[in-house]
């Protein structure tokens, strides 16, 4: 069973969004090509789905500004601009993304007391989202992961997939992803490789 996991390809992380990733929208046509022609048995997407008072927002920390460091659930936390708030257009998937092909959507980041970069569990690793159980029930043996942002939600999801889905081959699709910080992107990809993740490009799947 071959599955594609699309991480947070939402308006909030694309140009014009509240936490825009440079060229974030450029992953959309690649993601659509993978959906249509990648030969996947299962298409899964994660969706940042924060309450308006989420603790990762700088607005919830008096005197703090976006991108400063703070603390959440006892851990250091980058404080973000308010983004992907439940029910807002910022939280919606990019309008050009082929969402009709989705078999399953995993919402995350709903607990205001802890952030959830990974599609699989909260950052404190106490609460799982249920995505690993779902993929196991479907009999997934190969999981390709891509989306936004490489150095945060994508890499956290990739590493958790390795740990929480033993026996599943996990691959990261580099050109179908974009990140925030160039150094952070390099470090994230290096860490993924070190842990045994196969790093590929969409051409390796599409054969073009």
């Amino acid at each position: 069973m071959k599955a594609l996991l699309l991480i947070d390809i939402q308006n909030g992380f694309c140009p014009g969004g509240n936490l825009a990733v440079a060229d974030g929208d450029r992953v959309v046509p690649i993601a659509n090509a993978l959906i249509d022609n990648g030969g996947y048995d299962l298409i899964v997407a994660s969706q940042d789905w924060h309450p308006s008072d989420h603790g990762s927002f700088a607005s919830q920390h008096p005197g703090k500004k976006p991108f400063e460091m703070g603390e959440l659930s006892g851990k250091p936390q980058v404080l973000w601009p308010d983004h992907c708030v439940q029910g807002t257009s910022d939280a919606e998937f990019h309008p050009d993304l082929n969402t009709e092909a989705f078999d399953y959507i995993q919402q995350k980041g709903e607990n205001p007391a802890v952030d959830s970069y990974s599609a699989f569990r909260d950052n404190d690793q106490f609460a799982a989202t249920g995505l690993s159980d779902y993929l196991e029930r479907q009999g997934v043996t190969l999981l390709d992961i891509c989306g936004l942002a490489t150095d945060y939600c994508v890499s956290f999801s990739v590493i958790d997939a390795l740990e929480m889905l033993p026996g599943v081959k996990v691959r990261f699709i580099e050109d179908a992803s974009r990140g925030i910080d160039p150094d952070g992107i390099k470090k994230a990809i290096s860490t993924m490789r070190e842990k045994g993740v196969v790093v590929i490009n969409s051409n390796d799947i599409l054969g073009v």
Side-chain angles (χ1 to χ4, degrees), residues 111 114 116 120-130 164:
N111 182 351
V114 61
S116 299
F120 291 93
R121 57 185 171 187
D122 290 342
N123 286 2
D124 61 13
Q125 300 188 349
F126 289 148
T129 62
M164 299 174 70

Side-chain angles (χ1 to χ4, degrees), residues 10-25 82-83 89-91 94:
Q10 297 167 253
N11 290 331
F13 299 119
C14 292
N18 290 346
L19 185 50
V21 177
D23 298 328
D25 55 338
D82 291 20
H83 66 279
S89 60
D90 201 62
H94 190 283

Side-chain angles (χ1 to χ4, degrees), residues 38-143:
Y40 293 101
D41 305 298
L42 193 67
I43 307 295
V44 179
S46 71
Q47 183 180 26
D48 240 16
W49 195 247
H50 295 308
S52 60
D53 63 346
H54 197 270
S56 70
F57 295 165
S59 62
Q60 301 302 307
H61 299 263
K64 290 289 190 178
K65 297 179 180 179
F67 305 108
E68 290 184 351
M69 289 302 298
E71 186 176 288
L72 189 62
S73 65
K75 294 178 178 292
Q77 170 74 42
V78 178
L79 299 178
W80 304 109
D82 291 20
H83 66 279
C84 296
V85 172
Q86 297 171 8
T88 67
S89 60
D90 201 62
E92 293 176 2
F93 291 108
H94 190 283
D96 295 334
L97 186 63
N98 182 12
T99 57
E100 292 183 1
F102 292 176
D103 296 295
Y104 184 81
I105 296 171
Q106 180 63 64
Q107 293 177 331
K108 63 187 181 70
E110 298 175 84
N111 182 351
V114 61
D115 212 354
S116 299
Y117 294 153
S118 170
F120 291 93
R121 57 185 171 187
D122 290 342
N123 286 2
D124 61 13
Q125 300 188 349
F126 289 148
T129 62
L131 179 57
S132 60
D133 291 338
Y134 171 79
L135 295 175
E136 284 183 345
R137 288 197 302 271
Q138 302 305 311
V140 171
T141 55
L142 173 65
L143 181 63

